[in-house]
Amino acid sequence: MADVGVVAPNSVVASETDVPAIIFDRVGVAYGHGKKTTHALVDLNLRVAVGETVALLGPSGSGKSTALNALAGFVRPTSGRVRLAGRDVTDLPPAKRGIGVVLQSYALFPHMRVSDNVAFGLKSQRVPRGEIADRVAEALDMVGMGDYGKRLPRELSGGQQQRVAIARALAIRPRVLLLDEPLAALDARLRQSMLAELQRLKEALPDTAMLYVTHDQAEALALADRIVVMNDARLMDVDTAENLWRRPPTSFTAAFLGGANLIPCTVGRVIGTSALVTIAHKTVSAEAPQPRTGKVDWAPGSRALLCIRPHALQIVGLGNRDALRANVNATVWRGATTRVVLSVGGMPDQLIEVDAPGNAKFEIGAEIGVRIPEPAGVLVRIPT
Ligand code: ADP
Ligand code: MG
């Protein structure tokens, strides 16, 4: 806002927007020392563009919150630097970073009214008193809580409290908004409506970079421009949701994002990004993608994993000649689909999951056919 009245040449504006809103530069965080050291985050490199939403997705304990806390200033990196809009903030206290933070636990001050909770960051930023009321009203309006300023947090539902927490984060008009599992404490229905609301908020804040921590792939898919898949303190993969889902670079991402059958196979003939592979004595075609960086050698004769999504497989009659013969191991009805778990002849120790439409009923042990699509799936490297 200091630039008001100064007309910047276009070239300056362009290069300004080229500076990432967030940079993690080889950030490592270790808790404890000696034999009790936990490496919670190892060498995280990540850039988030102005206005971009990036989800950190991974199982519990994979280092997601640690990454967010390192950026917010709640934990100190053991190595590496964090930058906001090009400025190294590694040594700054949290309040000086100009970041909005929303946590799963809401963390509202229980004895303060909603409006005072939202005003809190503005007061510590020494925003003039006359302006504070307007900014609080604006922030509460953004989350549909304009009429609740006088309430205490305990007079609100969980969803409403989380809205207030979001309003509090937005009141300081942050360029960077960090959200750590903000919907995890809400029930399933409320989570859906809050997710839609976060999507709207994202559209309403086109210049705000968001880092969204979640273990829930549905939230990541719904909100993120790019997804970072975390596992065991490390960034496993980063790309658009669509790329990660269609051509998962690692078996971890294939399984964590969307669920997948990962069937060991032998690579046969390869032409461009297409390969013939053999599974259960059957030859099928598969996508053999090249990653955007580096190169994978899908050498004929080498072993790989064939990733087939459960919904891509089809249960058919035994008369179908192209089908694999399989036996039903278990069925789990999920509402719109039934997850059918199968063991397939010629694939010992390998269970195959198929999502059949509706409430598909099979006897345990029943023999059925499984039709494999064309191409069958996408090749994924065997983890080393
Ligand atoms: P996530 O948010 O992905 O669930 P965290 O970043 O919270 O994971 O934790 C990553 C690892 O660091 C876990 O093994 C966790 O137990 C450990 N950890 C997190 N916070 C602390 C802490 N304050 N002291 C010691 N270990 C911690
Ligand atoms: Mg966490």
Side-chain angles (χ1 to χ4, degrees):
M1 291 293 123
D3 289 335
V4 171
V6 179
V7 179
N10 280 336
S11 60
V12 173
V13 173
S15 68
E16 264 175 10
T17 54
D18 284 342
V19 174
I22 300 169
I23 296 181
F24 287 89
D25 185 4
R26 301 200 61 177
V27 176
V29 176
Y31 295 111
H33 23 230
K35 278 192 177 148
K36 291 212 174 116
T37 304
T38 305
H39 293 279
L41 192 64
V42 177
D43 276 349
L44 177 65
N45 285 310
L46 179 66
R47 289 161 174 253
V48 180
V50 171
E52 190 184 23
T53 298
V54 170
L56 297 184
L57 175 69
S60 174
S62 56
K64 308 180 299 291
S65 294
T66 299
L68 181 140
N69 289 337
L71 187 64
F74 302 146
V75 304
R76 209 182 142 66
T78 325
S79 57
R81 312 298 294 178
V82 286
R83 295 190 172 78
L84 293 170
R87 177 172 174 227
D88 189 326
V89 297
T90 319
D91 300 318
L92 281 186
K96 291 260 156 68
R97 299 188 185 199
I99 289 180
V101 184
V102 179
L103 304 173
Q104 175 182 336
S105 58
Y106 324 139
L108 298 175
F109 300 110
H111 56 283
M112 278 189 200
R113 297 189 184 281
V114 162
S115 54
D116 292 324
N117 264 285
V118 176
F120 188 81
L122 298 173
K123 285 183 182 148
S124 50
Q125 279 195 349
R126 299 183 195 283
V127 172
R129 205 178 250 253
E131 207 186 315
I132 287 182
D134 288 346
R135 296 267 293 266
V136 167
E138 176 194 273
L140 284 173
D141 280 342
M142 283 195 86
V143 297
M145 291 292 288
D147 296 336
Y148 293 80
K150 295 220 157 61
R151 298 251 189 125
L152 288 167
R154 66 164 177 271
E155 295 164 344
L156 302 176
S157 71
Q160 291 172 327
Q161 290 184 47
Q162 191 55 299
R163 279 163 214 254
V164 173
I166 293 169
R168 182 178 58 182
L170 293 176
I172 61 163
R173 294 189 182 142
R175 303 288 299 273
V176 168
L177 185 60
L178 308 182
L179 303 111
D180 191 348
E181 311 254 12
L183 309 184
L186 307 177
D187 65 59
R189 230 176 70 123
L190 201 49
R191 212 153 51 224
Q192 276 310 312
S193 65
M194 282 293 285
L195 195 52
E197 206 140 311
L198 287 173
Q199 282 177 318
R200 270 197 295 280
L201 201 59
K202 177 184 151 174
E203 300 305 318
L205 299 166
D207 297 328
T208 306
M210 294 197 205
L211 196 62
Y212 189 95
V213 164
T214 180
H215 65 276
D216 180 353
Q217 52 155 322
E219 289 175 23
L221 291 173
L223 279 175
D225 301 309
R226 285 188 302 152
I227 297 177
V228 170
V229 179
M230 303 277 300
N231 182 34
D232 200 13
R234 286 172 174 82
L235 180 156
M236 291 295 287
D237 291 308
V238 52
D239 207 335
T240 62
E242 167 122 13
N243 283 346
L244 288 183
W245 196 81
R246 287 171 65 95
R247 289 179 290 273
T250 59
S251 58
F252 183 84
T253 292
F256 198 80
L257 192 68
N261 294 294
L262 292 162
I263 304 167
C265 64
T266 302
V267 180
R269 197 150 56 97
V270 180
I271 300 171
T273 55
S274 170
L276 294 177
V277 300
T278 307
I279 53 167
H281 315 303
K282 231 183 173 58
T283 299
V284 296
S285 70
E287 267 188 79
Q290 286 300 329
R292 290 185 316 143
T293 54
K295 189 176 184 316
V296 185
D297 189 12
W298 302 111
S302 65
R303 299 286 290 164
L305 298 170
L306 176 59
C307 167
I308 311 181
R309 301 291 182 185
H311 74 267
L313 292 165
Q314 202 186 348
I315 293 177
V316 294
L318 280 169
N320 193 314
R321 290 154 121 252
D322 292 333
L324 298 175
R325 291 175 92 86
N327 289 93
V328 176
N329 242 287
T331 63
V332 182
W333 182 44
R334 297 175 155 196
T337 57
T338 302
R339 174 66 54 96
V340 184
V341 184
L342 305 163
S343 48
V344 177
M347 280 190 227
D349 312 324
Q350 173 88 36
L351 293 174
I352 301 290
E353 295 179 336
V354 179
D355 283 339
N359 188 359
K361 294 197 166 92
F362 295 99
E363 301 241 338
I364 304 303
E367 200 178 7
I368 49 141
V370 184
R371 193 160 81 206
I372 295 188
E374 165 69 36
V378 53
L379 292 184
V380 176
R381 276 168 297 169
I382 293 175
T384 46

